Structure formats: structure tokens, C-alpha cells
Amino acid sequence: MATMKVKFRASSIPTKEGTLFYQVVHGRVARQVNTGYKVYPCEWDSVHAEIVFPPGIGYNRGNYLASLKEILYGNTKRFKNIIARLERTGENYTAGDVLKRYLTPSDGEGFISFAREVIRQMGQIGKPRTAERYTVVTRSFERFCGENDVFLDEVDSDLMVRYENFLKAAGVCPNTTSYYMRGLRAIYNRAVEKELTVQRYPFRHVYTGIDKTVKRAVPLNIIRQIRDLDLTLSPATDLARDVFMFSFYTRGMSFIDMAFLKKKDLQNGILSYRRQKTGQQLSIKWERPMQEIIDKYDIKDTPYLLPIIRNMEVDARKQYKNAAHLVNDKLRRLGEQLGLAIPLTTYVARHGWASIARSKNIPLPIISEAMGHNSEKTTRIYLASLDTSAVDKANSQILKAL
């Protein structure tokens, strides 16, 4: 029967970290694979083949070692499961076969390979945002797994708890951790639906809720200050500011919705669009500050209302993503110049509009309607008797206050 151990190879330089690797021995033949992790000699007990915590270790390093210890435990468990499977077949196998199954699951589909297939399918059926989300969460999980995939039937509660601890040790905030977990859960449930694995409820002991986030609103005087800046010598920053202000003028419209606004969406003084996130249809009374921004830019050769997607021969979504990165980078730098306590992004315009609306004693139902609230429960409460005239009046009040 094959055996597996975690080994440590010290660096040729005593002050540097050494390498951890897995060694499988079967039939007097040894095969090795790098774990992708490194530790200092004082952090490894060669006798017991385990992580140790030297005296005086710092908090962050301690968290890293604790997380690494759990990862090594989980991967050791995987190796033992693979060896047990091979033994049950009664067929001859080699140490190389053990490593091959560890690196590329063949006894059933691997979770990461399954996730990649789901991502490909989402792209094919016209769901690019879902594909992008699944890509982000899968890449995070891949960083946790190192170079290895995991069997679908090995995705259990213990694995997800170790992954959560890995994220905590990396300083990932609870909301981002929850975002990753919910994305992985959606992928896992697809595998269950296809009967590729049984439902083990692997996410029942990890956080999948939403914490209250730090406030990202700025007061009216800061909005006014941003609006009045002379940025003629920096066209890219000027555009970023205009996008920020357009979001504010339009009740906190998201960047993706602004990017895909088309000229035909503006009819008879009403801007109508459907939110990319929720599919909800919203209408906004066209105001003078909005038109002033549109008048600044040459958009005659595109069907779009704002100068975000400019080249009709280049993928629109790729242009949107590049522009989002550039705009938020310029806004962040602008916020630093203004000495703001929070990073300035387009999302601050949305928070700012809501906060200022509330300070103007505009009723919460009107604010919720204006922003296209995504909660079904809130939507049922708020959308029962509101009409767009009340929302437009609220927006006019805020714009006139500038």
C-alpha cells in the first residue's frame, strides 16, 4: 500500500524559507510534488511532519501558519482517500498514479474543472456577468488549492471551513468571503443537480451573509467641490469626474448602466433604462446638468449616450471593464487630492445621493424607488403606490441644492 508524507526541503540560504512538498512512496518508488507553500526551518517539525509555532511569532504569520496547517491536513486526507480508492480496485498502481489523481482527478470530475466548464457554458448562453463572477470565485478557490483540483465528492464542510480560514488569514473581508462562498455554492449546486455528486451541504458552517459595510457616502459640499473642480488639463480625470457626477445626477446610476445607455433611451425628456443587475426598468426626468455633461463630448459616431464605449469594432464589454478600471483609478486619485477619508469611486455617488436625499427628509420609500432597490420584500413594500413624478421631484430637489 502506498504511503504519503509531507516533507520539508531547506533553502541553501539559512535565513530564507524552505519548500514543503508531498512525497508518495509505493513499491519502493518515491514521487514528489511541490505544495506551493514555504516555511522557515523553525516553523517545521521534521519528526512529526507538521507546522509548529515558534515563540514570539507575529499575528499575521501565526494566522498564515494556522491556515497552512489546515491546508496540509486537508491535502493529506485527500491523498489517503485516493490511495484507499486505488486499493479498493484491486488493480496495480504506481506512486505516479497517486500523484496524477491528486493533481487531475479522474475518478469523477474535479470541482475546479467542473467550474471552468460552467463558466464556459455561461459565456455561450449569453450570461457574461455570471461567467465573470464564477471566474473570480473559482480563481480565489484555485489559489487556496494551489496547483491541485479536488474531487467533487471531497467538497465538504471541512474543506470550506479551511478555505474560509485561508481567506481570513489573507485579510479578506467578511463580505468578500461571503461573495466567494455564495459563488462556489452556486457552482456546487449545479454539480448536484447534474448528479455528479451527492449534496453534502459543504457551506453550512461558513459565512454566506452580508455584513454592514463602511459608509461610502460623502456630504453635499464634497459633491459640489467635485463638480466645481477645473480639470481641463487632465481630460481622463475630467471624464472620470463627469461620470461620477452623471451617476449622482441620475440618482446613483451604476457604472455598467451608464456605460450601456443609448441615445434612444432618452425620449421626450425622460431617460429610461433597465438595470443590468436586476432587470428592473427605471425612468428619470432629464435635467439640465445631465445635458451639460453630454454636450461636452463627441458621441456622434456611436449609439451610446456617454463616451465610455467608443469603438464599435471592439468588444463593448471589454471596453466597459477597461473604462471602469480607469475611471475608478482616476477618482481614487482625485479623492486623495481632496483629502477624503474614503476611496472615491462611482459607487460613492450612489451612496451619496441616498444619504443626501435622506438628509433632505425625502421619504425612504421614494429613495428606495429612485435607486431601484433589489430586495423583493422591499420592492413589494415600496413599489405599491409610488409614481415616477414623486421620484423626479426628489431628484430635482437634490440637483437644485447643488
Side-chain angles (χ1 to χ4, degrees):
M1 183 173 179
T3 60
M4 172 271 175
K5 292 183 180 180
V6 184
K7 296 276 192 173
F8 174 74
R9 183 183 295 114
S11 170
S12 59
I13 303 174
T15 57
K16 288 195 173 183
E17 295 171 300
T19 301
L20 292 173
F21 61 93
Y22 303 118
Q23 178 177 277
V24 177
V25 179
H26 186 52
R28 297 184 180 181
V29 176
R31 292 289 184 268
Q32 299 173 356
V33 62
N34 196 338
T35 67
Y37 299 103
K38 294 185 176 183
V39 295
Y40 292 102
C42 63
E43 298 169 340
W44 182 253
D45 180 351
S46 296
V47 175
H48 298 95
E50 64 180 10
I51 297 286
V52 294
F53 300 84
I57 189 172
Y59 177 78
N60 289 337
R61 187 66 181 180
N63 277 346
Y64 167 76
L65 292 177
S67 176
L68 179 53
K69 191 169 186 176
E70 291 188 358
I71 291 170
L72 295 178
Y73 169 79
N75 288 344
T76 298
K77 181 179 175 182
R78 284 195 64 227
F79 270 109
K80 290 180 178 178
N81 288 338
I82 291 169
I83 292 169
R85 286 193 193 97
L86 290 171
E87 287 288 330
R88 285 196 299 268
T89 65
E91 299 177 0
N92 292 330
Y93 67 92
T94 66
D97 293 331
V98 176
L99 289 183
K100 183 178 180 181
R101 291 205 173 196
Y102 174 77
L103 295 172
T104 308
S106 56
D107 185 13
E109 195 169 13
F111 180 81
I112 292 174
S113 59
F114 175 75
R116 289 171 180 160
E117 177 60 19
V118 172
I119 292 167
R120 186 189 66 80
Q121 291 174 359
M122 291 299 102
Q124 283 186 334
I125 65 176
K127 292 187 176 181
R129 294 194 70 186
T130 302
E132 288 169 6
R133 181 190 179 195
Y134 287 175
T135 299
V136 170
V137 300
T138 301
R139 284 176 179 170
S140 172
F141 190 64
E142 283 185 271
R143 287 192 289 273
F144 162 70
C145 294
E147 299 176 353
N148 315 313
D149 202 342
V150 296
F151 291 101
L152 280 165
D153 60 9
E154 290 178 344
V155 177
D156 57 16
S157 180
D158 287 344
L159 179 67
M160 288 302 117
V161 169
R162 293 199 303 273
Y163 173 50
E164 184 178 54
N165 289 335
F166 168 81
L167 294 174
K168 288 179 180 177
V172 177
C173 72
N175 278 348
T176 301
T177 296
S178 175
Y179 178 85
Y180 292 155
M181 293 297 181
R182 287 181 281 121
L184 291 176
R185 183 174 61 189
I187 295 170
Y188 176 81
N189 287 339
R190 288 177 180 272
V192 173
E193 290 173 2
K194 291 178 178 291
E195 298 183 350
L196 297 175
T197 187
V198 298
Q199 179 61 267
R200 295 180 177 83
Y201 304 100
F203 301 91
R204 63 183 181 275
H205 295 311
V206 296
Y207 181 66
T208 56
I210 300 176
D211 270 358
K212 290 184 178 179
T213 56
V214 177
K215 290 184 177 179
R216 286 183 279 182
V218 292
L220 191 63
N221 66 306
I222 297 298
I223 299 291
R224 188 182 295 113
Q225 187 178 359
I226 294 171
R227 180 199 64 183
D228 294 340
L229 286 171
D230 183 0
L231 300 173
T232 53
L233 296 180
S234 179
T237 305
D238 193 23
L239 172 60
R241 184 267 309 276
D242 287 343
V243 169
F244 177 91
M245 292 306 304
F246 190 87
S247 173
F248 183 81
Y249 294 152
T250 54
R251 310 186 320 229
M253 187 184 297
S254 69
F255 186 84
I256 189 170
D257 290 331
M258 288 188 289
F260 287 94
L261 281 178
K262 293 191 173 181
K263 296 170 185 174
K264 65 180 181 181
D265 295 331
L266 178 58
Q267 299 287 338
N268 302 319
I270 301 295
L271 179 64
S272 299
Y273 72 101
R274 190 175 297 278
R275 290 196 68 198
Q276 296 269 343
K277 183 177 181 180
T278 65
Q280 184 178 353
Q281 184 77 27
L282 295 178
S283 296
I284 300 173
K285 180 184 176 183
W286 193 248
E287 300 278 0
R288 182 176 58 82
M290 306 171 192
Q291 187 63 46
E292 289 176 349
I293 288 177
I294 300 303
D295 290 341
K296 285 179 62 175
Y297 299 96
D298 182 6
I299 53 173
K300 64 178 182 298
D301 294 329
T302 81
Y304 297 101
L305 195 60
L306 290 168
I308 297 173
I309 300 173
R310 303 169 185 252
N311 191 337
M312 297 303 99
E313 297 181 358
V314 177
D315 180 69
R317 194 163 187 87
K318 183 177 181 180
Q319 291 185 73
Y320 142 71
K321 292 177 69 175
N322 291 340
H325 177 78
L326 177 62
V327 165
N328 280 316
D329 180 65
K330 294 298 181 182
L331 288 177
R332 178 183 58 80
R333 295 173 186 270
L334 189 60
E336 291 173 352
Q337 294 174 14
L338 295 174
L340 300 184
I342 59 173
L344 187 64
T345 67
T346 53
Y347 209 63
V348 173
R350 182 173 177 82
H351 278 251
W353 190 93
S355 178
I356 294 167
R358 192 61 172 158
S359 71
K360 295 293 181 183
N361 296 317
I362 295 171
L364 184 60
I366 293 179
I367 298 172
S368 181
E369 162 73 352
M371 301 182 74
H373 204 283
N374 194 33
S375 167
E376 291 184 5
K377 179 179 178 181
T378 305
T379 300
R380 285 196 299 271
I381 296 171
Y382 290 160
L383 302 188
S385 60
L386 291 175
D387 59 34
T388 58
S389 63
V391 175
D392 289 330
K393 183 178 179 181
N395 198 37
S396 294
Q397 288 181 32
I398 294 172
L399 301 189
K400 288 177 182 177
L402 277 175

